[in-house]
Amino acid sequence: MKNKQEAYYQAYLKQFQHSTPEELAFIRTKLSLQEMDKGDYYLESGGVQTHMSFVCSGLLRRFYINEKGSEITTGFTKEREFVTDYPAFIRQKPTKYYIQCLEPCILVNQSYESIQESYRKFKNSEMQGRLIAEKVLTILSDRVEGFLFNTAEERYLQFLEENEDLMNRISLTHLSSFLGIERQSLSRIRKRIAQR
C-alpha cells in the first residue's frame, strides 16, 4: 500500500511542472490520501472545503438542489482533475453545491492552509495557483456560453467530444440535467444523431 500511496502522491506532484525540487519536497510533506465509496459526499451545501483535492481514480458529480427540490448537475470531475467549488474554496466560504462520488474515489488532498503557506514561500506556487484558477474559470465560462449560444444538441455533441470516456460512467438522468434538458429530449437527440 505504501508504494501505491506514493504513486498517487507523485501523480499529484506531476501537476506542478514549474516547481523546483525544494518546492515539490515541501508540497509532498503536506499531502494526505482519502478513499471514498460510491455515494459518499465529498462536500455538502453549507460546508466549507478545507482541502484542494486531486482525483487519482474515480468520478464525482457536482450539483445543487433547486427551489422545486430537483438535483441540477453542474459538472463532473474525473481522474487527473481537481475537485472543488473553487470560488468558495479560495474565499473559505460555505459552498452552495453538493459534490458526490459516482464511483469509489481515491483523492490526494492538500489543505487550504498549506497551499497559502506554499504561496508565501514559493513564487512558482503562486503561478500554479493561477493556472488552476484559469482552468476552473475557463470551464465555468465555457458552460455559461454553452447555454447562451448553443442548442441542446450542440451542447450534447460538445460534451461527447470532450468527455467520450464518461459516457458509460454517468447516467442519462445526470447527463440530461447537466445539459439543461429533459431526459426524453436527450433520448430524442441521441436517436436523431444515431440515424445520421
Side-chain angles (χ1 to χ4, degrees), residues 59-64 72-77 97-100 102 139 143 159 166 170 174 177-178:
L59 178 66
L60 301 97
R61 172 178 76 111
R62 186 180 66 211
F63 65 94
Y64 68 93
I72 308 298
T73 300
T74 61
F76 302 97
T77 308
Y97 295 98
Y98 295 84
I99 301 178
Q100 186 179 30
L102 295 179
I139 290 167
R143 179 159 170 75
F159 183 87
L166 292 186
I170 59 175
H174 292 158
S177 172
F178 176 77

mmCIF file with all atom_site columns, all heavy atoms in Angstrom, residues 59-64 72-77 97-100 102 139 143 159 166 170 174 177-178:
data_model
loop_
_atom_site.group_PDB
_atom_site.id
_atom_site.type_symbol
_atom_site.label_atom_id
_atom_site.label_alt_id
_atom_site.label_comp_id
_atom_site.label_asym_id
_atom_site.label_entity_id
_atom_site.label_seq_id
_atom_site.pdbx_PDB_ins_code
_atom_site.Cartn_x
_atom_site.Cartn_y
_atom_site.Cartn_z
_atom_site.occupancy
_atom_site.B_iso_or_equiv
_atom_site.pdbx_formal_charge
_atom_site.auth_seq_id
_atom_site.auth_comp_id
_atom_site.auth_asym_id
_atom_site.auth_atom_id
_atom_site.pdbx_PDB_model_num
ATOM 1   N N   . LEU A 1 59  ? -14.871 9.064  -10.029 1.00 0.00 ? 59  LEU A N   1
ATOM 2   C CA  . LEU A 1 59  ? -15.665 10.081 -10.703 1.00 0.00 ? 59  LEU A CA  1
ATOM 3   C C   . LEU A 1 59  ? -16.616 10.715 -9.698  1.00 0.00 ? 59  LEU A C   1
ATOM 4   O O   . LEU A 1 59  ? -17.238 10.008 -8.901  1.00 0.00 ? 59  LEU A O   1
ATOM 5   C CB  . LEU A 1 59  ? -16.462 9.434  -11.847 1.00 0.00 ? 59  LEU A CB  1
ATOM 6   C CG  . LEU A 1 59  ? -17.398 10.318 -12.658 1.00 0.00 ? 59  LEU A CG  1
ATOM 7   C CD1 . LEU A 1 59  ? -16.608 11.358 -13.451 1.00 0.00 ? 59  LEU A CD1 1
ATOM 8   C CD2 . LEU A 1 59  ? -18.243 9.454  -13.607 1.00 0.00 ? 59  LEU A CD2 1
ATOM 9   N N   . LEU A 1 60  ? -16.712 12.048 -9.731  1.00 0.00 ? 60  LEU A N   1
ATOM 10  C CA  . LEU A 1 60  ? -17.607 12.772 -8.834  1.00 0.00 ? 60  LEU A CA  1
ATOM 11  C C   . LEU A 1 60  ? -18.539 13.662 -9.645  1.00 0.00 ? 60  LEU A C   1
ATOM 12  O O   . LEU A 1 60  ? -18.214 14.069 -10.759 1.00 0.00 ? 60  LEU A O   1
ATOM 13  C CB  . LEU A 1 60  ? -16.823 13.641 -7.842  1.00 0.00 ? 60  LEU A CB  1
ATOM 14  C CG  . LEU A 1 60  ? -15.837 12.904 -6.938  1.00 0.00 ? 60  LEU A CG  1
ATOM 15  C CD1 . LEU A 1 60  ? -14.430 12.973 -7.507  1.00 0.00 ? 60  LEU A CD1 1
ATOM 16  C CD2 . LEU A 1 60  ? -15.860 13.482 -5.541  1.00 0.00 ? 60  LEU A CD2 1
ATOM 17  N N   . ARG A 1 61  ? -19.688 13.968 -9.052  1.00 0.00 ? 61  ARG A N   1
ATOM 18  C CA  . ARG A 1 61  ? -20.677 14.848 -9.689  1.00 0.00 ? 61  ARG A CA  1
ATOM 19  C C   . ARG A 1 61  ? -20.946 16.029 -8.763  1.00 0.00 ? 61  ARG A C   1
ATOM 20  O O   . ARG A 1 61  ? -21.121 15.871 -7.557  1.00 0.00 ? 61  ARG A O   1
ATOM 21  C CB  . ARG A 1 61  ? -21.977 14.070 -9.907  1.00 0.00 ? 61  ARG A CB  1
ATOM 22  C CG  . ARG A 1 61  ? -23.149 14.916 -10.385 1.00 0.00 ? 61  ARG A CG  1
ATOM 23  C CD  . ARG A 1 61  ? -24.387 14.069 -10.633 1.00 0.00 ? 61  ARG A CD  1
ATOM 24  N NE  . ARG A 1 61  ? -25.038 13.673 -9.408  1.00 0.00 ? 61  ARG A NE  1
ATOM 25  C CZ  . ARG A 1 61  ? -26.230 14.118 -9.005  1.00 0.00 ? 61  ARG A CZ  1
ATOM 26  N NH1 . ARG A 1 61  ? -26.903 14.996 -9.722  1.00 0.00 ? 61  ARG A NH1 1
ATOM 27  N NH2 . ARG A 1 61  ? -26.760 13.679 -7.884  1.00 0.00 ? 61  ARG A NH2 1
ATOM 28  N N   . ARG A 1 62  ? -20.979 17.224 -9.365  1.00 0.00 ? 62  ARG A N   1
ATOM 29  C CA  . ARG A 1 62  ? -21.327 18.432 -8.602  1.00 0.00 ? 62  ARG A CA  1
ATOM 30  C C   . ARG A 1 62  ? -22.751 18.830 -8.970  1.00 0.00 ? 62  ARG A C   1
ATOM 31  O O   . ARG A 1 62  ? -23.101 18.864 -10.151 1.00 0.00 ? 62  ARG A O   1
ATOM 32  C CB  . ARG A 1 62  ? -20.367 19.577 -8.916  1.00 0.00 ? 62  ARG A CB  1
ATOM 33  C CG  . ARG A 1 62  ? -20.617 20.808 -8.026  1.00 0.00 ? 62  ARG A CG  1
ATOM 34  C CD  . ARG A 1 62  ? -19.682 21.946 -8.336  1.00 0.00 ? 62  ARG A CD  1
ATOM 35  N NE  . ARG A 1 62  ? -19.964 22.432 -9.676  1.00 0.00 ? 62  ARG A NE  1
ATOM 36  C CZ  . ARG A 1 62  ? -19.059 22.965 -10.484 1.00 0.00 ? 62  ARG A CZ  1
ATOM 37  N NH1 . ARG A 1 62  ? -17.813 23.082 -10.123 1.00 0.00 ? 62  ARG A NH1 1
ATOM 38  N NH2 . ARG A 1 62  ? -19.393 23.384 -11.684 1.00 0.00 ? 62  ARG A NH2 1
ATOM 39  N N   . PHE A 1 63  ? -23.576 19.126 -7.962  1.00 0.00 ? 63  PHE A N   1
ATOM 40  C CA  . PHE A 1 63  ? -24.947 19.525 -8.234  1.00 0.00 ? 63  PHE A CA  1
ATOM 41  C C   . PHE A 1 63  ? -25.444 20.448 -7.133  1.00 0.00 ? 63  PHE A C   1
ATOM 42  O O   . PHE A 1 63  ? -24.843 20.572 -6.071  1.00 0.00 ? 63  PHE A O   1
ATOM 43  C CB  . PHE A 1 63  ? -25.863 18.298 -8.372  1.00 0.00 ? 63  PHE A CB  1
ATOM 44  C CG  . PHE A 1 63  ? -26.025 17.488 -7.110  1.00 0.00 ? 63  PHE A CG  1
ATOM 45  C CD1 . PHE A 1 63  ? -27.094 17.720 -6.244  1.00 0.00 ? 63  PHE A CD1 1
ATOM 46  C CD2 . PHE A 1 63  ? -25.129 16.478 -6.773  1.00 0.00 ? 63  PHE A CD2 1
ATOM 47  C CE1 . PHE A 1 63  ? -27.265 16.972 -5.080  1.00 0.00 ? 63  PHE A CE1 1
ATOM 48  C CE2 . PHE A 1 63  ? -25.279 15.726 -5.608  1.00 0.00 ? 63  PHE A CE2 1
ATOM 49  C CZ  . PHE A 1 63  ? -26.354 15.971 -4.768  1.00 0.00 ? 63  PHE A CZ  1
ATOM 50  N N   . TYR A 1 64  ? -26.570 21.110 -7.422  1.00 0.00 ? 64  TYR A N   1
ATOM 51  C CA  . TYR A 1 64  ? -27.280 21.869 -6.391  1.00 0.00 ? 64  TYR A CA  1
ATOM 52  C C   . TYR A 1 64  ? -28.734 21.434 -6.419  1.00 0.00 ? 64  TYR A C   1
ATOM 53  O O   . TYR A 1 64  ? -29.183 20.758 -7.356  1.00 0.00 ? 64  TYR A O   1
ATOM 54  C CB  . TYR A 1 64  ? -27.139 23.381 -6.610  1.00 0.00 ? 64  TYR A CB  1
ATOM 55  C CG  . TYR A 1 64  ? -27.840 23.929 -7.823  1.00 0.00 ? 64  TYR A CG  1
ATOM 56  C CD1 . TYR A 1 64  ? -29.143 24.427 -7.741  1.00 0.00 ? 64  TYR A CD1 1
ATOM 57  C CD2 . TYR A 1 64  ? -27.204 23.963 -9.068  1.00 0.00 ? 64  TYR A CD2 1
ATOM 58  C CE1 . TYR A 1 64  ? -29.784 24.933 -8.866  1.00 0.00 ? 64  TYR A CE1 1
ATOM 59  C CE2 . TYR A 1 64  ? -27.845 24.465 -10.191 1.00 0.00 ? 64  TYR A CE2 1
ATOM 60  C CZ  . TYR A 1 64  ? -29.142 24.942 -10.084 1.00 0.00 ? 64  TYR A CZ  1
ATOM 61  O OH  . TYR A 1 64  ? -29.775 25.432 -11.187 1.00 0.00 ? 64  TYR A OH  1
ATOM 62  N N   . ILE A 1 72  ? -29.801 19.544 -9.747  1.00 0.00 ? 72  ILE A N   1
ATOM 63  C CA  . ILE A 1 72  ? -29.335 20.077 -11.031 1.00 0.00 ? 72  ILE A CA  1
ATOM 64  C C   . ILE A 1 72  ? -27.819 19.859 -11.118 1.00 0.00 ? 72  ILE A C   1
ATOM 65  O O   . ILE A 1 72  ? -27.053 20.464 -10.369 1.00 0.00 ? 72  ILE A O   1
ATOM 66  C CB  . ILE A 1 72  ? -29.659 21.578 -11.168 1.00 0.00 ? 72  ILE A CB  1
ATOM 67  C CG1 . ILE A 1 72  ? -31.143 21.853 -10.892 1.00 0.00 ? 72  ILE A CG1 1
ATOM 68  C CG2 . ILE A 1 72  ? -29.220 22.089 -12.537 1.00 0.00 ? 72  ILE A CG2 1
ATOM 69  C CD1 . ILE A 1 72  ? -32.119 21.181 -11.833 1.00 0.00 ? 72  ILE A CD1 1
ATOM 70  N N   . THR A 1 73  ? -27.405 18.979 -12.012 1.00 0.00 ? 73  THR A N   1
ATOM 71  C CA  . THR A 1 73  ? -25.987 18.653 -12.175 1.00 0.00 ? 73  THR A CA  1
ATOM 72  C C   . THR A 1 73  ? -25.269 19.797 -12.889 1.00 0.00 ? 73  THR A C   1
ATOM 73  O O   . THR A 1 73  ? -25.717 20.258 -13.933 1.00 0.00 ? 73  THR A O   1
ATOM 74  C CB  . THR A 1 73  ? -25.826 17.347 -12.969 1.00 0.00 ? 73  THR A CB  1
ATOM 75  O OG1 . THR A 1 73  ? -26.479 16.293 -12.251 1.00 0.00 ? 73  THR A OG1 1
ATOM 76  C CG2 . THR A 1 73  ? -24.357 16.986 -13.161 1.00 0.00 ? 73  THR A CG2 1
ATOM 77  N N   . THR A 1 74  ? -24.149 20.234 -12.318 1.00 0.00 ? 74  THR A N   1
ATOM 78  C CA  . THR A 1 74  ? -23.388 21.330 -12.926 1.00 0.00 ? 74  THR A CA  1
ATOM 79  C C   . THR A 1 74  ? -21.998 20.900 -13.387 1.00 0.00 ? 74  THR A C   1
ATOM 80  O O   . THR A 1 74  ? -21.298 21.678 -14.021 1.00 0.00 ? 74  THR A O   1
ATOM 81  C CB  . THR A 1 74  ? -23.242 22.516 -11.956 1.00 0.00 ? 74  THR A CB  1
ATOM 82  O OG1 . THR A 1 74  ? -22.525 22.073 -10.801 1.00 0.00 ? 74  THR A OG1 1
ATOM 83  C CG2 . THR A 1 74  ? -24.600 23.060 -11.542 1.00 0.00 ? 74  THR A CG2 1
ATOM 84  N N   . GLY A 1 75  ? -21.593 19.676 -13.064 1.00 0.00 ? 75  GLY A N   1
ATOM 85  C CA  . GLY A 1 75  ? -20.282 19.248 -13.528 1.00 0.00 ? 75  GLY A CA  1
ATOM 86  C C   . GLY A 1 75  ? -19.901 17.865 -13.038 1.00 0.00 ? 75  GLY A C   1
ATOM 87  O O   . GLY A 1 75  ? -20.509 17.318 -12.113 1.00 0.00 ? 75  GLY A O   1
ATOM 88  N N   . PHE A 1 76  ? -18.894 17.317 -13.701 1.00 0.00 ? 76  PHE A N   1
ATOM 89  C CA  . PHE A 1 76  ? -18.319 16.022 -13.343 1.00 0.00 ? 76  PHE A CA  1
ATOM 90  C C   . PHE A 1 76  ? -16.811 16.212 -13.197 1.00 0.00 ? 76  PHE A C   1
ATOM 91  O O   . PHE A 1 76  ? -16.207 16.986 -13.935 1.00 0.00 ? 76  PHE A O   1
ATOM 92  C CB  . PHE A 1 76  ? -18.597 14.978 -14.433 1.00 0.00 ? 76  PHE A CB  1
ATOM 93  C CG  . PHE A 1 76  ? -20.059 14.780 -14.708 1.00 0.00 ? 76  PHE A CG  1
ATOM 94  C CD1 . PHE A 1 76  ? -20.681 15.448 -15.765 1.00 0.00 ? 76  PHE A CD1 1
ATOM 95  C CD2 . PHE A 1 76  ? -20.820 13.937 -13.918 1.00 0.00 ? 76  PHE A CD2 1
ATOM 96  C CE1 . PHE A 1 76  ? -22.036 15.273 -16.031 1.00 0.00 ? 76  PHE A CE1 1
ATOM 97  C CE2 . PHE A 1 76  ? -22.179 13.758 -14.169 1.00 0.00 ? 76  PHE A CE2 1
ATOM 98  C CZ  . PHE A 1 76  ? -22.787 14.433 -15.232 1.00 0.00 ? 76  PHE A CZ  1
ATOM 99  N N   . THR A 1 77  ? -16.218 15.500 -12.267 1.00 0.00 ? 77  THR A N   1
ATOM 100 C CA  . THR A 1 77  ? -14.766 15.554 -12.082 1.00 0.00 ? 77  THR A CA  1
ATOM 101 C C   . THR A 1 77  ? -14.225 14.132 -12.130 1.00 0.00 ? 77  THR A C   1
ATOM 102 O O   . THR A 1 77  ? -14.665 13.263 -11.365 1.00 0.00 ? 77  THR A O   1
ATOM 103 C CB  . THR A 1 77  ? -14.398 16.212 -10.736 1.00 0.00 ? 77  THR A CB  1
ATOM 104 O OG1 . THR A 1 77  ? -15.064 17.470 -10.632 1.00 0.00 ? 77  THR A OG1 1
ATOM 105 C CG2 . THR A 1 77  ? -12.893 16.422 -10.633 1.00 0.00 ? 77  THR A CG2 1
ATOM 106 N N   . TYR A 1 97  ? -23.060 24.004 -3.261  1.00 0.00 ? 97  TYR A N   1
ATOM 107 C CA  . TYR A 1 97  ? -23.118 22.768 -4.029  1.00 0.00 ? 97  TYR A CA  1
ATOM 108 C C   . TYR A 1 97  ? -22.958 21.525 -3.155  1.00 0.00 ? 97  TYR A C   1
ATOM 109 O O   . TYR A 1 97  ? -22.457 21.580 -2.042  1.00 0.00 ? 97  TYR A O   1
ATOM 110 C CB  . TYR A 1 97  ? -22.003 22.751 -5.087  1.00 0.00 ? 97  TYR A CB  1
ATOM 111 C CG  . TYR A 1 97  ? -22.162 23.806 -6.141  1.00 0.00 ? 97  TYR A CG  1
ATOM 112 C CD1 . TYR A 1 97  ? -21.464 25.006 -6.057  1.00 0.00 ? 97  TYR A CD1 1
ATOM 113 C CD2 . TYR A 1 97  ? -23.014 23.625 -7.227  1.00 0.00 ? 97  TYR A CD2 1
ATOM 114 C CE1 . TYR A 1 97  ? -21.606 25.995 -7.028  1.00 0.00 ? 97  TYR A CE1 1
ATOM 115 C CE2 . TYR A 1 97  ? -23.160 24.606 -8.199  1.00 0.00 ? 97  TYR A CE2 1
ATOM 116 C CZ  . TYR A 1 97  ? -22.459 25.786 -8.090  1.00 0.00 ? 97  TYR A CZ  1
ATOM 117 O OH  . TYR A 1 97  ? -22.608 26.744 -9.042  1.00 0.00 ? 97  TYR A OH  1
ATOM 118 N N   . TYR A 1 98  ? -23.355 20.407 -3.756  1.00 0.00 ? 98  TYR A N   1
ATOM 119 C CA  . TYR A 1 98  ? -23.039 19.074 -3.247  1.00 0.00 ? 98  TYR A CA  1
ATOM 120 C C   . TYR A 1 98  ? -22.072 18.466 -4.247  1.00 0.00 ? 98  TYR A C   1
ATOM 121 O O   . TYR A 1 98  ? -22.241 18.646 -5.458  1.00 0.00 ? 98  TYR A O   1
ATOM 122 C CB  . TYR A 1 98  ? -24.289 18.192 -3.182  1.00 0.00 ? 98  TYR A CB  1
ATOM 123 C CG  . TYR A 1 98  ? -25.329 18.659 -2.198  1.00 0.00 ? 98  TYR A CG  1
ATOM 124 C CD1 . TYR A 1 98  ? -26.261 19.627 -2.559  1.00 0.00 ? 98  TYR A CD1 1
ATOM 125 C CD2 . TYR A 1 98  ? -25.377 18.131 -0.913  1.00 0.00 ? 98  TYR A CD2 1
ATOM 126 C CE1 . TYR A 1 98  ? -27.227 20.061 -1.657  1.00 0.00 ? 98  TYR A CE1 1
ATOM 127 C CE2 . TYR A 1 98  ? -26.341 18.559 -0.006  1.00 0.00 ? 98  TYR A CE2 1
ATOM 128 C CZ  . TYR A 1 98  ? -27.257 19.520 -0.384  1.00 0.00 ? 98  TYR A CZ  1
ATOM 129 O OH  . TYR A 1 98  ? -28.198 19.950 0.510   1.00 0.00 ? 98  TYR A OH  1
ATOM 130 N N   . ILE A 1 99  ? -21.078 17.761 -3.745  1.00 0.00 ? 99  ILE A N   1
ATOM 131 C CA  . ILE A 1 99  ? -20.181 17.005 -4.626  1.00 0.00 ? 99  ILE A CA  1
ATOM 132 C C   . ILE A 1 99  ? -20.186 15.576 -4.112  1.00 0.00 ? 99  ILE A C   1
ATOM 133 O O   . ILE A 1 99  ? -19.816 15.308 -2.964  1.00 0.00 ? 99  ILE A O   1
ATOM 134 C CB  . ILE A 1 99  ? -18.754 17.596 -4.648  1.00 0.00 ? 99  ILE A CB  1
ATOM 135 C CG1 . ILE A 1 99  ? -18.781 19.053 -5.135  1.00 0.00 ? 99  ILE A CG1 1
ATOM 136 C CG2 . ILE A 1 99  ? -17.855 16.751 -5.549  1.00 0.00 ? 99  ILE A CG2 1
ATOM 137 C CD1 . ILE A 1 99  ? -17.434 19.749 -5.153  1.00 0.00 ? 99  ILE A CD1 1
ATOM 138 N N   . GLN A 1 100 ? -20.646 14.663 -4.961  1.00 0.00 ? 100 GLN A N   1
ATOM 139 C CA  . GLN A 1 100 ? -20.869 13.273 -4.556  1.00 0.00 ? 100 GLN A CA  1
ATOM 140 C C   . GLN A 1 100 ? -20.101 12.317 -5.454  1.00 0.00 ? 100 GLN A C   1
ATOM 141 O O   . GLN A 1 100 ? -19.997 12.536 -6.667  1.00 0.00 ? 100 GLN A O   1
ATOM 142 C CB  . GLN A 1 100 ? -22.370 12.961 -4.623  1.00 0.00 ? 100 GLN A CB  1
ATOM 143 C CG  . GLN A 1 100 ? -22.740 11.594 -4.089  1.00 0.00 ? 100 GLN A CG  1
ATOM 144 C CD  . GLN A 1 100 ? -24.234 11.348 -4.148  1.00 0.00 ? 100 GLN A CD  1
ATOM 145 O OE1 . GLN A 1 100 ? -24.937 11.862 -5.014  1.00 0.00 ? 100 GLN A OE1 1
ATOM 146 N NE2 . GLN A 1 100 ? -24.734 10.548 -3.219  1.00 0.00 ? 100 GLN A NE2 1
ATOM 147 N N   . LEU A 1 102 ? -19.642 9.276  -7.701  1.00 0.00 ? 102 LEU A N   1
ATOM 148 C CA  . LEU A 1 102 ? -20.423 8.361  -8.536  1.00 0.00 ? 102 LEU A CA  1
ATOM 149 C C   . LEU A 1 102 ? -19.760 6.997  -8.601  1.00 0.00 ? 102 LEU A C   1
ATOM 150 O O   . LEU A 1 102 ? -20.391 6.018  -9.025  1.00 0.00 ? 102 LEU A O   1
ATOM 151 C CB  . LEU A 1 102 ? -20.561 8.923  -9.955  1.00 0.00 ? 102 LEU A CB  1
ATOM 152 C CG  . LEU A 1 102 ? -21.364 10.222 -10.100 1.00 0.00 ? 102 LEU A CG  1
ATOM 153 C CD1 . LEU A 1 102 ? -21.399 10.666 -11.558 1.00 0.00 ? 102 LEU A CD1 1
ATOM 154 C CD2 . LEU A 1 102 ? -22.778 10.063 -9.561  1.00 0.00 ? 102 LEU A CD2 1
ATOM 155 N N   . ILE A 1 139 ? -13.550 26.565 -17.573 1.00 0.00 ? 139 ILE A N   1
ATOM 156 C CA  . ILE A 1 139 ? -14.614 25.547 -17.533 1.00 0.00 ? 139 ILE A CA  1
ATOM 157 C C   . ILE A 1 139 ? -15.964 26.213 -17.234 1.00 0.00 ? 139 ILE A C   1
ATOM 158 O O   . ILE A 1 139 ? -16.965 25.950 -17.903 1.00 0.00 ? 139 ILE A O   1
ATOM 159 C CB  . ILE A 1 139 ? -14.290 24.454 -16.490 1.00 0.00 ? 139 ILE A CB  1
ATOM 160 C CG1 . ILE A 1 139 ? -13.112 23.597 -16.968 1.00 0.00 ? 139 ILE A CG1 1
ATOM 161 C CG2 . ILE A 1 139 ? -15.515 23.575 -16.212 1.00 0.00 ? 139 ILE A CG2 1
ATOM 162 C CD1 . ILE A 1 139 ? -12.510 22.690 -15.906 1.00 0.00 ? 139 ILE A CD1 1
ATOM 163 N N   . ARG A 1 143 ? -19.175 26.680 -19.856 1.00 0.00 ? 143 ARG A N   1
ATOM 164 C CA  . ARG A 1 143 ? -20.508 26.161 -19.517 1.00 0.00 ? 143 ARG A CA  1
ATOM 165 C C   . ARG A 1 143 ? -21.571 27.239 -19.716 1.00 0.00 ? 143 ARG A C   1
ATOM 166 O O   . ARG A 1 143 ? -22.621 26.995 -20.318 1.00 0.00 ? 143 ARG A O   1
ATOM 167 C CB  . ARG A 1 143 ? -20.521 25.641 -18.083 1.00 0.00 ? 143 ARG A CB  1
ATOM 168 C CG  . ARG A 1 143 ? -21.889 25.115 -17.664 1.00 0.00 ? 143 ARG A CG  1
ATOM 169 C CD  . ARG A 1 143 ? -21.810 24.170 -16.496 1.00 0.00 ? 143 ARG A CD  1
ATOM 170 N NE  . ARG A 1 143 ? -23.116 23.861 -15.956 1.00 0.00 ? 143 ARG A NE  1
ATOM 171 C CZ  . ARG A 1 143 ? -23.994 23.042 -16.526 1.00 0.00 ? 143 ARG A CZ  1
ATOM 172 N NH1 . ARG A 1 143 ? -23.695 22.466 -17.670 1.00 0.00 ? 143 ARG A NH1 1
ATOM 173 N NH2 . ARG A 1 143 ? -25.162 22.808 -15.954 1.00 0.00 ? 143 ARG A NH2 1
ATOM 174 N N   . PHE A 1 159 ? -20.158 17.908 -25.317 1.00 0.00 ? 159 PHE A N   1
ATOM 175 C CA  . PHE A 1 159 ? -19.858 17.058 -24.156 1.00 0.00 ? 159 PHE A CA  1
ATOM 176 C C   . PHE A 1 159 ? -19.282 15.729 -24.616 1.00 0.00 ? 159 PHE A C   1
ATOM 177 O O   . PHE A 1 159 ? -18.300 15.237 -24.055 1.00 0.00 ? 159 PHE A O   1
ATOM 178 C CB  . PHE A 1 159 ? -21.120 16.834 -23.314 1.00 0.00 ? 159 PHE A CB  1
ATOM 179 C CG  . PHE A 1 159 ? -20.856 16.016 -22.070 1.00 0.00 ? 159 PHE A CG  1
ATOM 180 C CD1 . PHE A 1 159 ? -20.436 16.642 -20.905 1.00 0.00 ? 159 PHE A CD1 1
ATOM 181 C CD2 . PHE A 1 159 ? -20.997 14.643 -22.071 1.00 0.00 ? 159 PHE A CD2 1
ATOM 182 C CE1 . PHE A 1 159 ? -20.163 15.900 -19.762 1.00 0.00 ? 159 PHE A CE1 1
ATOM 183 C CE2 . PHE A 1 159 ? -20.726 13.891 -20.939 1.00 0.00 ? 159 PHE A CE2 1
ATOM 184 C CZ  . PHE A 1 159 ? -20.310 14.523 -19.778 1.00 0.00 ? 159 PHE A CZ  1
ATOM 185 N N   . LEU A 1 166 ? -16.573 9.345  -20.462 1.00 0.00 ? 166 LEU A N   1
ATOM 186 C CA  . LEU A 1 166 ? -17.554 9.363  -19.372 1.00 0.00 ? 166 LEU A CA  1
ATOM 187 C C   . LEU A 1 166 ? -18.895 8.763  -19.768 1.00 0.00 ? 166 LEU A C   1
ATOM 188 O O   . LEU A 1 166 ? -19.733 8.512  -18.897 1.00 0.00 ? 166 LEU A O   1
ATOM 189 C CB  . LEU A 1 166 ? -17.795 10.801 -18.889 1.00 0.00 ? 166 LEU A CB  1
ATOM 190 C CG  . LEU A 1 166 ? -16.655 11.503 -18.168 1.00 0.00 ? 166 LEU A CG  1
ATOM 191 C CD1 . LEU A 1 166 ? -17.118 12.851 -17.648 1.00 0.00 ? 166 LEU A CD1 1
ATOM 192 C CD2 . LEU A 1 166 ? -16.127 10.654 -17.022 1.00 0.00 ? 166 LEU A CD2 1
ATOM 193 N N   . ILE A 1 170 ? -21.666 7.680  -16.533 1.00 0.00 ? 170 ILE A N   1
ATOM 194 C CA  . ILE A 1 170 ? -22.691 8.553  -15.947 1.00 0.00 ? 170 ILE A CA  1
ATOM 195 C C   . ILE A 1 170 ? -24.063 8.168  -16.477 1.00 0.00 ? 170 ILE A C   1
ATOM 196 O O   . ILE A 1 170 ? -24.188 7.652  -17.584 1.00 0.00 ? 170 ILE A O   1
ATOM 197 C CB  . ILE A 1 170 ? -22.409 10.045 -16.219 1.00 0.00 ? 170 ILE A CB  1
ATOM 198 C CG1 . ILE A 1 170 ? -22.359 10.334 -17.716 1.00 0.00 ? 170 ILE A CG1 1
ATOM 199 C CG2 . ILE A 1 170 ? -21.124 10.492 -15.549 1.00 0.00 ? 170 ILE A CG2 1
ATOM 200 C CD1 . ILE A 1 170 ? -22.206 11.801 -18.064 1.00 0.00 ? 170 ILE A CD1 1
ATOM 201 N N   . HIS A 1 174 ? -28.327 12.152 -15.060 1.00 0.00 ? 174 HIS A N   1
ATOM 202 C CA  . HIS A 1 174 ? -27.322 13.146 -14.680 1.00 0.00 ? 174 HIS A CA  1
ATOM 203 C C   . HIS A 1 174 ? -26.858 13.951 -15.889 1.00 0.00 ? 174 HIS A C   1
ATOM 204 O O   . HIS A 1 174 ? -26.664 15.166 -15.808 1.00 0.00 ? 174 HIS A O   1
ATOM 205 C CB  . HIS A 1 174 ? -26.123 12.478 -14.009 1.00 0.00 ? 174 HIS A CB  1
ATOM 206 C CG  . HIS A 1 174 ? -26.441 11.905 -12.671 1.00 0.00 ? 174 HIS A CG  1
ATOM 207 N ND1 . HIS A 1 174 ? -25.681 10.909 -12.097 1.00 0.00 ? 174 HIS A ND1 1
ATOM 208 C CD2 . HIS A 1 174 ? -27.428 12.184 -11.777 1.00 0.00 ? 174 HIS A CD2 1
ATOM 209 C CE1 . HIS A 1 174 ? -26.195 10.594 -10.909 1.00 0.00 ? 174 HIS A CE1 1
ATOM 210 N NE2 . HIS A 1 174 ? -27.255 11.359 -10.710 1.00 0.00 ? 174 HIS A NE2 1
ATOM 211 N N   . SER A 1 177 ? -29.566 16.450 -17.002 1.00 0.00 ? 177 SER A N   1
ATOM 212 C CA  . SER A 1 177 ? -29.580 17.560 -16.044 1.00 0.00 ? 177 SER A CA  1
ATOM 213 C C   . SER A 1 177 ? -28.422 18.508 -16.321 1.00 0.00 ? 177 SER A C   1
ATOM 214 O O   . SER A 1 177 ? -28.592 19.732 -16.345 1.00 0.00 ? 177 SER A O   1
ATOM 215 C CB  . SER A 1 177 ? -29.495 17.014 -14.617 1.00 0.00 ? 177 SER A CB  1
ATOM 216 O OG  . SER A 1 177 ? -29.316 18.058 -13.688 1.00 0.00 ? 177 SER A OG  1
ATOM 217 N N   . PHE A 1 178 ? -27.248 17.956 -16.576 1.00 0.00 ? 178 PHE A N   1
ATOM 218 C CA  . PHE A 1 178 ? -26.069 18.768 -16.874 1.00 0.00 ? 178 PHE A CA  1
ATOM 219 C C   . PHE A 1 178 ? -26.278 19.596 -18.147 1.00 0.00 ? 178 PHE A C   1
ATOM 220 O O   . PHE A 1 178 ? -25.872 20.757 -18.219 1.00 0.00 ? 178 PHE A O   1
ATOM 221 C CB  . PHE A 1 178 ? -24.840 17.863 -17.038 1.00 0.00 ? 178 PHE A CB  1
ATOM 222 C CG  . PHE A 1 178 ? -23.595 18.589 -17.450 1.00 0.00 ? 178 PHE A CG  1
ATOM 223 C CD1 . PHE A 1 178 ? -22.875 19.337 -16.538 1.00 0.00 ? 178 PHE A CD1 1
ATOM 224 C CD2 . PHE A 1 178 ? -23.144 18.539 -18.761 1.00 0.00 ? 178 PHE A CD2 1
ATOM 225 C CE1 . PHE A 1 178 ? -21.723 20.028 -16.921 1.00 0.00 ? 178 PHE A CE1 1
ATOM 226 C CE2 . PHE A 1 178 ? -22.002 19.220 -19.154 1.00 0.00 ? 178 PHE A CE2 1
ATOM 227 C CZ  . PHE A 1 178 ? -21.295 19.963 -18.228 1.00 0.00 ? 178 PHE A CZ  1
#
